[in-house]
Amino acid sequence: MSGFAWAAFASGLAGAAGAALAVMLVTFAIALRKGVHRIVDVAWGIGFAAVALVSYGLSAGEGDDVRRLVVTVLTVVWGLRLAVHIGRRGRGHGEDPRYEKMLAKAPGNPQLYALRKVYLLQGALVWLVSLPVQAAQYLTGPLVWWAWAGAVLWAAGLAFEGIGDHQLARFKADPANKGKIMDRGLWSWTRHPNYFGDFLVWWGLFLFVCQAPAAAAATVVAPLVMTFLLTKGSGAALLERHMADRPGFAEYQARTSGFFPRPPRRG
């Protein structure tokens, strides 16, 4: 039989929010020193790892120890892999064009504008999207099939985004592919294997809470928000607008799924 420590969970929300805020404020300070705001993308994954670790510490003695450890490890592994990947990808590059454009149009002090519109917003989203990770720490009772299904979904998602990122990095490293559209491997089945992988990861983590229906109902907003971000917000939709004028992209769109993987269309 599973229970849920509602009072402890509620009191732990502030600590998790503090962890997300601390990561973003430290990142903002580093960005000011370096003069490059693109490092906030690295902080996205680190923020989730920090929230998971703080929630693990705050929930000691409240939830099932095995679930607490598993959910924390899965979140930290995902977050750090993403942070390392983005950090390596951006090494040696200047400012991200997205942030250059935003700062150029910022009213008032552009740095304070970036703090509000990028860092604090991302911190709030990290806290919100990680609600299932926080809640899972306060769930009592042994792991049941919901959790094992979640672990399988998480593993599939991590593999999907990791393989997709690796395939894209190898493609871009070949000078012969300069200016071409990546349409091989997983990228022939979906135009966004990395985002689809994230989608699986966060729905998988949500399943760890589902053996407590009330807790699941209270936190389902988290994977829904992540799904929106990946498909309509700052993920796939934004990237596709950026690539719309690339030669061959319209043809790639016509034959390749926009999100959920499927075999490419023929002809």
Side-chain angles (χ1 to χ4, degrees):
M1 187 69 179
S2 298
F4 189 71
W6 283 102
F9 168 62
S11 65
L13 292 173
L21 178 62
V23 169
M24 292 302 163
L25 290 179
V26 169
T27 305
F28 178 66
I30 296 172
L32 289 181
R33 184 175 180 179
K34 291 182 173 292
V36 178
H37 287 288
R38 71 181 305 144
I39 63 172
V40 71
D41 297 336
V42 177
W44 176 251
I46 295 174
F48 285 105
V51 167
L53 290 169
V54 168
S55 297
Y56 180 78
L58 293 174
S59 63
E62 299 290 348
D64 175 70
D65 287 340
V66 174
R67 180 183 292 100
R68 290 173 56 240
L69 181 61
V70 170
V71 169
T72 300
V73 169
L74 296 187
T75 306
V76 170
V77 167
W78 174 83
L80 294 185
R81 188 216 74 87
L82 182 63
V84 169
H85 168 71
I86 293 176
R88 287 176 174 173
R89 186 181 65 188
R91 186 182 301 162
H93 295 277
E95 184 62 282
D96 189 304
R98 295 173 299 161
Y99 300 129
E100 286 183 337
K101 185 177 180 180
M102 179 196 69
L103 292 173
K105 296 181 177 180
N109 187 309
Q111 303 305 332
L112 292 180
Y113 184 80
L115 175 63
R116 295 194 309 271
K117 294 294 185 178
V118 179
Y119 295 85
L120 296 183
L121 176 59
Q122 286 206 21
L125 288 172
V126 165
W127 177 83
L128 177 62
V129 171
S130 67
L131 281 176
V133 173
Q134 299 175 54
Q137 312 277 1
Y138 299 92
L139 187 62
T140 61
L143 298 179
V144 297
W145 71 270
W146 281 108
W148 300 120
V152 170
L153 205 60
W154 176 92
L158 187 73
F160 216 92
E161 66 174 295
I163 292 170
D165 286 339
H166 178 69
Q167 290 176 340
L168 182 61
R170 289 187 61 186
F171 179 83
K172 288 184 173 181
D174 186 347
N177 293 324
K178 186 175 182 180
K180 295 181 180 179
I181 299 294
M182 170 55 162
D183 60 355
R184 308 169 190 173
L186 294 180
W187 299 83
S188 67
W189 284 64
T190 168
R191 300 197 296 273
H192 304 283
N194 47 352
Y195 295 145
F196 176 71
D198 282 348
F199 166 85
L200 293 182
V201 162
W202 283 97
W203 280 102
L205 290 171
F206 170 71
L207 291 183
F208 278 85
V209 189
C210 286
Q211 68 190 75
T219 59
V220 69
V221 64
L224 290 174
V225 167
M226 180 59 104
T227 300
F228 173 80
L229 292 174
L230 292 170
T231 58
K232 304 296 183 182
S234 59
L238 181 63
L239 181 60
E240 299 224 339
R241 287 196 296 271
H242 176 70
M243 296 185 65
D245 296 330
R246 291 272 300 274
F249 187 69
E251 293 79 6
Y252 178 55
Q253 280 184 309
R255 66 177 180 268
T256 309
S257 171
F259 194 73
F260 293 100
R262 61 160 175 74
R265 294 188 180 95
R266 301 290 182 181

